[in-house]
Amino acid sequence: MSDFLLPKGHISSTEDVAEKEQLEYWIDMICDEFVQLDCTAEKRKDFRGKIRGSGLGNIWVSEVNADPQHVIRSRKQIAKSTESEFLLSLQLDDVGFINQDGRIAELHPGDFALYDSTRPYFLHFDRPFRQIVLQIPYDTLAEQFVRPENITALRVSAQTAVGALASQFIQSVAGRLDILTAQERRVINQHIIELVALALGSMTSLRDLGGQSTARTAMLERLKQYIEINIRDPQLTPAQVAGHHHISERYQRMLFASTGTTASRYILNKRLELCREALENPVLRDHSITQIAFSYGFNDAAHFSRRFRERYDASPKEYRDKT
């Protein structure tokens, strides 16, 4: 396998472990470097793989140099993980395949394609290969496209003018990460996003937020589910919800705005609904109103009573007495 294009960065290699443990070690490596994955390979012994990684603003750049393998990002792994990002694979040597959303991108040297960590995908390599992989925060790209799922597993060919421009720029940047200043990295970071968008032929839909995509709907449902699971936690905040899912609060606001609400309003309404149901429940008659309010994340009885009246046009006591 060829030497790394990246001039420096953290290196992980299967050469560090015994032959019989190399494939298992490789699986742990790629899960640590990228997202939770399964990996199969014909060579369970003497499996060779190296990864070198380095940061570029909010994009993480990795170079993968490995033996043939089949990689799976399944619904099971997605359900138990918190990663939310787009990945861009740029082929350096041999051929790679990306399968997502019913499409297969066959990548030859210089070609690249995107895939989304929040939905299942497959990667396949028949022979030893080398790639650059960019990990891009989910909202950095998703907010620029009406339907992000329409840009996954689309091959951007290095034989096209804009494809070649983007590919060569990414490779050039990767090869010079050691000499770029922090300011240069931030500027280059944005240029990469713009070039990738341009190469995908989506400039006409940049920042067109008129549609709600399947990917965005899925993310919104994950946010709501997390809120409902943690609703009893008085420390639950929109910032915590966004941080847990590795998206910005700005992107989270946009997602909830599409349904006519906000994350904070959703949390409040969910708490009020659960308190209302508890007040209606005859089994909980022995529980005080304050106990019920505090059990669903409120920490101020007066605040709860005021919000409850605003929502149901009755105080908690009046509501309970009527049921």
Side-chain angles (χ1 to χ4, degrees):
M1 291 183 282
S2 303
D3 292 335
F4 284 114
L5 173 64
L6 269 66
K8 68 174 186 177
H10 174 73
I11 297 178
S12 300
S13 173
T14 57
E15 295 174 354
D16 300 331
V17 299
E19 285 187 7
K20 64 179 181 179
E21 300 172 355
Q22 287 178 335
L23 181 58
E24 286 71 21
Y25 186 70
W26 175 252
I27 295 173
D28 289 341
M29 283 170 52
I30 59 176
C31 287
D32 288 342
E33 186 77 12
F34 305 113
V35 295
Q36 292 298 305
L37 301 163
D38 284 331
C39 177
T40 59
E42 291 185 9
K43 291 176 62 178
R44 298 197 64 84
K45 293 183 178 180
D46 193 27
F47 180 91
R48 298 181 303 158
K50 298 180 181 179
I51 301 174
R52 174 177 279 180
S54 184
L56 176 68
N58 67 352
I59 295 176
W60 184 258
V61 183
S62 300
E63 186 172 344
V64 182
N65 199 332
D67 280 337
Q69 59 192 275
H70 183 71
V71 176
I72 303 169
R73 170 75 163 168
S74 68
R75 295 189 185 280
K76 181 179 179 181
Q77 281 128 7
I78 294 169
K80 64 183 181 183
S81 64
T82 60
E83 303 97 346
S84 301
E85 59 192 20
F86 281 100
L87 296 101
L88 181 151
S89 285
L90 191 158
Q91 199 74 17
L92 295 176
D93 292 333
D94 211 76
V95 179
F97 297 87
I98 298 173
N99 184 333
Q100 188 173 52
D101 296 321
R103 293 182 293 274
I104 299 176
E106 180 176 336
L107 305 182
H108 295 263
D111 299 344
F112 64 86
L114 283 171
Y115 41 111
D116 179 354
S117 73
T118 67
R119 299 196 307 287
Y121 63 78
F122 306 90
L123 310 177
H124 184 74
F125 308 93
D126 288 322
R127 294 182 295 273
F129 70 96
R130 196 160 58 101
Q131 282 189 336
I132 291 175
V133 181
L134 306 184
Q135 291 167 259
I136 305 170
Y138 187 90
D139 53 317
T140 301
L141 275 175
E143 68 181 6
Q144 300 193 51
F145 297 95
V146 172
R147 300 184 64 84
E149 71 275 17
N150 286 348
I151 63 172
T152 55
L154 289 178
R155 172 184 172 236
V156 177
S157 173
Q159 303 306 308
T160 64
V162 69
L165 178 63
S167 177
Q168 291 167 14
F169 183 71
I170 292 170
Q171 292 180 63
S172 177
V173 170
R176 293 170 172 80
L177 284 176
D178 59 331
I179 60 173
L180 295 173
T181 67
Q183 174 63 24
E184 290 168 340
R185 287 169 183 250
R186 286 192 293 271
V187 173
I188 288 171
N189 184 299
Q190 185 57 37
H191 286 333
I192 287 176
I193 299 300
E194 292 170 353
L195 277 173
V196 168
L198 179 62
L200 286 163
S202 302
M203 287 300 290
T204 56
S205 61
L206 285 181
R207 307 203 179 278
D208 177 2
L209 304 179
Q212 178 72 1
S213 74
T214 301
R216 292 183 187 184
T217 301
M219 175 57 73
L220 181 59
E221 289 307 309
R222 289 173 66 184
L223 297 174
K224 289 180 177 179
Q225 184 180 45
Y226 180 82
I227 288 171
E228 291 169 15
I229 291 171
N230 295 278
I231 197 67
R232 292 178 181 270
D233 181 1
Q235 303 303 315
L236 182 67
T237 64
Q240 178 191 335
V241 176
H244 180 82
H245 292 86
H246 303 286
I247 64 173
S248 68
E249 289 186 71
R250 174 173 171 267
Y251 184 54
Q252 180 173 260
R253 284 195 296 273
M254 185 188 74
L255 290 175
F256 277 98
S258 68
T259 63
T261 189
T262 64
S264 59
R265 175 62 62 176
Y266 186 85
I267 293 171
L268 174 62
N269 286 342
K270 184 57 63 176
R271 284 176 171 157
L272 290 172
E273 287 171 14
L274 291 169
C275 288
R276 176 183 58 78
E277 292 172 4
L279 291 172
E280 293 173 349
N281 190 342
V283 176
L284 300 178
R285 283 290 179 179
D286 292 338
H287 290 65
S288 72
I289 290 173
T290 299
Q291 282 179 305
I292 289 173
F294 279 37
S295 71
Y296 286 109
F298 289 99
N299 54 19
D300 184 311
H303 172 73
F304 164 67
S305 183
R306 185 168 58 255
R307 292 298 191 182
F308 191 93
R309 180 182 288 278
E310 289 173 358
R311 177 75 185 273
Y312 298 109
D313 199 28
S315 71
K317 184 178 183 305
E318 291 169 344
Y319 189 90
R320 174 179 257 182
D321 290 343
K322 287 192 301 184
T323 58

